[in-house]
Amino acid sequence: MWRFAAIGFLCAMGVAQAQEYRGAVACGDLTNAFGPFDYRSASDDERRLVNGAHFTQQVETLQSGKTSNIPGPDIDYTLRAFPNHPRALLAMMNLSFKEKAKTPRGAHWPVECYFDRAERFRNDDANVKLLFGIYLLKLGRDEEAIAKLDAAEKLSSDDSNLYYNLGLAYFDLKQYERALHYAHEAYALKFPLPGLRDKLKRVGAWKDLAPPAAASVPVESQSAPE
């Protein structure tokens, strides 16, 4: 399970540095020596082969690389094999913020290209839309971020992690009613972290769900005593 709240860096890049990157010309075609594979349906062996060789815990947490002394090349390889790998997309985004560079060291393209590639590869992946929205939100591109979050919402299903992160994103946009809606969706599916609920409580926006109304039971007609 990936959680946006688990790893985070404040954005210090500024809106002026943000640029749009789209398509195969700017961001490369999707052919790759290994893959590309849809991370959602990849086999355990396919995942293990890439994650074990490139996307280790040290790489994911940006402590070091696996095949070099920096994490960028390994995250890049992971995202070329699995363009919609959610934790790798998150790691590339966080690396960009950590280095204050739209193209992290060791990456082939700017971060926005990795989201473009993921969308071109699997445009039905709600987690890609969600993470892209969070990335744009951190750059201050709120209108574009809302469009991506809305797209994620339309694609979402019973995924507590997705609902929780949608709630966090809408909270950051100060759209507290929508944040509350997704908080209830996430917690109804037993999401374990209380952070979103606590955030909503601090701004006075948390409301418990009303208990379901008791179903009315028709009173059976009784015969008059003989």
Side-chain angles (χ1 to χ4, degrees):
M1 176 185 291
W2 63 272
R3 294 171 182 160
F4 175 72
I7 308 170
F9 294 99
L10 295 176
C11 175
M13 295 168 63
V15 179
Q17 286 183 280
Q19 299 180 31
E20 290 190 2
Y21 297 88
R22 296 286 188 275
V25 174
C27 301
D29 63 42
L30 298 172
T31 57
N32 197 53
F34 183 74
F37 301 104
D38 186 338
Y39 194 72
R40 298 168 299 177
S41 58
S43 69
D44 289 342
D45 286 343
E46 288 165 344
R47 290 188 181 194
R48 191 179 302 112
L49 184 61
V50 175
N51 289 341
H54 294 278
F55 198 64
T56 61
Q57 183 180 6
Q58 288 76 16
V59 171
E60 183 173 5
T61 56
L62 313 183
Q63 297 176 38
S64 65
K66 173 69 172 177
T67 61
S68 69
N69 61 349
I70 56 174
D74 289 297
I75 302 172
D76 168 82
Y77 183 94
T78 303
L79 288 172
R80 284 186 284 120
F82 297 111
N84 62 334
H85 190 311
R87 288 166 30 230
L89 283 168
L90 177 59
M92 186 64 84
M93 177 173 68
N94 282 336
L95 183 60
S96 173
F97 293 146
K98 182 180 182 180
E99 295 184 354
K100 301 180 183 179
K102 60 182 180 289
T103 305
R105 290 180 298 157
H108 275 74
W109 306 281
V111 172
E112 194 160 338
C113 272
Y114 290 96
F115 287 112
D116 169 76
R117 291 169 60 82
E119 286 190 317
R120 280 190 282 131
F121 180 61
R122 290 294 183 267
N123 200 39
D124 66 340
D125 192 328
N127 282 323
V128 170
K129 306 286 188 189
L130 168 66
L131 285 167
F132 200 174
I134 290 170
Y135 175 69
L136 294 168
L137 184 62
K138 283 182 164 288
L139 293 178
R141 295 160 61 180
D142 290 359
E143 290 186 7
E144 295 172 84
I146 290 171
K148 294 299 179 184
L149 296 175
D150 285 346
E153 181 178 1
K154 291 174 183 176
L155 292 169
S156 63
S157 56
D158 289 340
D159 183 337
S160 64
N161 190 61
L162 177 67
Y163 290 147
Y164 183 83
N165 284 290
L166 276 170
L168 288 175
Y170 283 120
F171 181 90
D172 287 344
L173 286 166
K174 296 183 169 55
Q175 294 189 19
Y176 298 134
E177 285 299 321
R178 295 182 86 173
L180 178 65
H181 167 76
Y182 283 109
H184 284 309
E185 293 283 348
Y187 293 131
L189 294 170
K190 310 301 183 186
F191 191 80
L193 298 181
L196 180 54
R197 178 171 54 237
D198 294 343
K199 283 174 175 282
L200 289 163
K201 284 182 176 180
R202 283 197 293 271
V203 298
W206 175 260
K207 298 174 187 175
D208 290 322
L209 283 176
S216 57
V217 179
V219 178
E220 295 182 3
S221 58
Q222 294 182 354
S223 301
E226 296 180 356

